[in-house]
Amino acid sequence: MNNKRIFLSLSQQSGFEEKYIQTALNDSWITTGGPNVDEFENKLEGFFEKNKSIVALNSGTAAIHLALILLGVKLGDEVICQSMTFAASANPILYQGAIPVFVDSELDTWNICPEFLEIAIKDRIARGKKPKAIIAVHLYGMPYKIDEIFSIANRYGIPIIEDSAAALGSSYKGKKCGTFGDYGVLSFNGNKIITTSSGGVLVCDSQGLKEKAIFYATQSRDNASHYEHSKIGYNYRISNICAGIGCGQMEVLDKNVTLRRAMHDFYKKVFEDIDEVSVFEEPNEDYFSNYWLSSILIEDDCEKKINREALTLAFEEANIETRPLWKPMHLQPLFVEYPYYGEKIAESLFEKGLCLPSGSNLTNEDKNRIEEVIKTFFK
Ligand SMILES: *Cc1c(COP(=O)(O)O)cnc(C)c1O
């Protein structure tokens, strides 16, 4: 049997990228900005079918950073952030010299918990500082509790940065993820549902905010014939070549969502009769996940030697990549000193959770190999 490594989430060519890249090369548009960038932004604006303005950048992390800047987050300000996430959600808070305040997850969506969010807001206000923003994440493509979180944020007048980096193609009550927050963020790094090799976008509510974001993303050049600067600038615009890849990838977005969702169905079926495992899934029909990464929770069973580590090893022996869930930020050495509101939900998810191969390129043979490991392990 073929023993080629099966990866968690690999990028994949659609075949439509080359014509955009070739045009850029032919026209010597080998720079940041350019026709592919405009087209990529237009395609995304069309995808969102709403009055949203899209700014294409060189990473999702850059988009989160710009959102904080546009919301006026400065030295010493506090920003609430979901603890259970990738470090890129929280690092830009530190870039601004601001203070992250971490909040636990709830068990339905694994995302920011409304109860602890409100407790955190009340306590920070009581201590003298109202948080400047909330960073809420659609973990692994699963929408967070949008209605509950927005109702709290609106009550206290705190803007939301929606980290939709993993959730392009997901939606809540029929509305697309990325369009709920004051700012939305998408990522197109190499393992996301579509890729530009590295890239991201900031979703803004108006053309004016888009222009402001582009100003900061292109070194904050004031209006003058020479280079004049009165604000700190950044080099965050996407390259015209990468945007060309994005234009081609947009053609297969819907297909990739369908294929990732099919991987989730595959795991549902494989784990159907395995009591120790629960597959992460939409809490009800309001939620539509792109299932960027299919994930499971494994209950320890000492007698049968069943636990996450043992299953990880079994996959590794078959040359199949898996990965524990994100280690919560409040447990990371970088962030331990910052405030945290919650109990141990995120922590227990981290201890029991595993992400499984979820790419849109997995073959039937790959699936058979994955199923074989699972069936043998839980026999
Ligand atoms: C991928 C990811 C990011 C960062 O995006 P980059 O494009 O890699 O900078 C941020 N947040 C989450 C939740 C992600 O999964």
Side-chain angles (χ1 to χ4, degrees):
M1 192 157 100
N2 163 7
N3 195 36
K4 223 173 78 202
R5 187 153 178 83
I6 297 175
F7 290 95
L8 199 65
S9 179
L10 268 191
S11 66
Q12 198 188 1
Q13 246 206 346
S14 72
F16 299 104
E17 296 87 353
E18 277 158 54
K19 84 172 179 229
Y20 294 98
I21 297 172
Q22 197 56 54
T23 306
L25 294 173
N26 293 348
D27 299 344
S28 287
W29 268 108
I30 312 170
T31 178
T32 50
N36 284 340
V37 176
D38 297 339
E39 177 145 3
F40 187 41
E41 289 175 345
N42 287 340
K43 281 181 187 292
L44 282 160
E45 282 166 7
F47 176 79
F48 283 126
E49 299 159 29
K50 250 193 108 241
N51 292 331
K52 291 287 181 183
S53 299
I54 301 282
V55 185
L57 302 166
N58 55 22
S59 75
T61 311
I64 297 173
H65 190 198
L66 286 182
L68 292 169
I69 292 167
L70 291 167
L71 289 172
V73 172
K74 294 195 181 70
L75 184 72
D77 285 342
E78 296 189 351
V79 175
I80 290 181
C81 184
Q82 178 169 326
S83 183
M84 185 93 193
T85 185
F86 181 41
S89 306
N91 277 329
I93 302 171
L94 298 187
Y95 301 169
Q96 285 306 93
I99 297 160
V101 174
F102 293 109
V103 172
D104 205 356
S105 290
E106 37 77 12
L107 282 171
D108 295 331
T109 75
W110 298 1
N111 293 311
I112 192 163
C113 169
E115 281 167 46
F116 282 111
L117 173 63
E118 184 151 27
I119 290 169
I121 294 172
K122 281 186 174 159
D123 190 56
R124 297 328 289 178
I125 292 174
R127 286 164 188 264
K129 258 188 207 169
K130 186 167 107 171
K132 273 284 184 78
I134 298 165
I135 301 176
V137 187
H138 305 299
L139 212 67
Y140 305 123
M142 182 67 72
Y144 57 81
K145 293 194 168 173
I146 306 250
D147 288 344
E148 288 90 333
I149 300 301
F150 274 89
S151 127
I152 295 165
N154 292 340
R155 199 171 325 133
Y156 293 92
I158 304 174
I160 292 189
I161 298 172
E162 185 187 358
D163 182 345
S164 194
L168 181 58
S170 299
S171 55
Y172 177 76
K173 292 187 175 169
K175 192 175 154 183
K176 294 196 167 84
C177 289
T179 62
F180 290 96
D182 294 78
Y183 290 98
V185 168
L186 305 174
S187 164
F188 307 107
N189 82 21
N191 70 15
K192 293 287 158 50
I193 194 142
I194 61 167
T195 182
T196 58
S197 71
S198 175
V201 307
L202 184 66
V203 184
C204 304
D205 271 335
S206 70
Q207 186 62 25
L209 290 172
K210 171 174 175 166
E211 280 159 21
K212 254 180 141 171
I214 293 175
F215 169 80
Y216 284 109
T218 52
Q219 306 290 15
S220 300
R221 295 206 300 261
D222 294 340
N223 200 3
S225 57
H226 59 278
Y227 278 11
E228 178 86 4
H229 306 275
S230 47
K231 291 208 163 71
I232 302 178
Y234 303 86
N235 184 7
Y236 280 170
R237 202 73 162 119
I238 196 171
S239 97
N240 193 51
I241 303 289
C242 293
I245 301 176
C247 290
Q249 291 267 306
M250 279 303 285
E251 313 240 347
V252 291
L253 173 59
D254 290 343
K255 187 177 125 211
N256 286 1
V257 172
T258 304
L259 289 168
R260 298 241 174 192
R261 287 181 61 83
M263 280 311 293
H264 166 80
D265 293 342
F266 162 76
Y267 288 116
K268 275 297 286 177
K269 193 139 183 295
V270 175
F271 288 110
E272 199 167 37
D273 299 320
I274 298 174
D275 293 339
E276 294 88 350
V277 170
S278 57
V279 178
F280 182 39
E281 61 181 338
E282 296 148 346
N284 59 52
E285 61 266 28
D286 288 342
Y287 295 80
F288 181 90
S289 174
N290 65 8
Y291 286 117
W292 170 54
L293 292 185
S294 283
S295 311
I296 55 171
L297 296 180
I298 306 143
E299 292 301 331
D300 280 16
D301 185 328
C302 298
E303 235 166 81
K304 292 198 223 159
K305 295 207 173 68
I306 286 173
N307 58 58
R308 187 192 70 195
E309 271 322 297
L311 180 58
T312 305
L313 275 176
F315 276 119
E316 202 46 55
E317 269 164 31
N319 207 16
I320 296 169
E321 184 187 26
T322 61
R323 191 188 297 151
L325 302 191
W326 304 125
K327 179 175 175 179
M329 290 304 114
H330 72 281
L331 303 176
Q332 299 284 357
L334 174 64
F335 293 114
V336 276
E337 68 188 275
Y338 297 106
Y340 169 69
Y341 293 84
E343 286 170 337
K344 289 188 180 287
I345 301 291
E347 210 169 320
S348 77
L349 290 170
F350 169 59
E351 279 160 13
K352 293 186 212 162
L354 194 65
C355 299
L356 302 173
S358 307
S360 34
N361 57 345
L362 295 172
T363 62
N364 283 335
E365 195 189 342
D366 294 337
K367 288 188 208 172
N368 289 341
R369 277 174 60 196
I370 293 167
E371 181 164 1
E372 182 71 28
V373 171
I374 295 166
K375 291 274 140 92
T376 309
F377 183 80
F378 288 99
K379 200 153 42 196

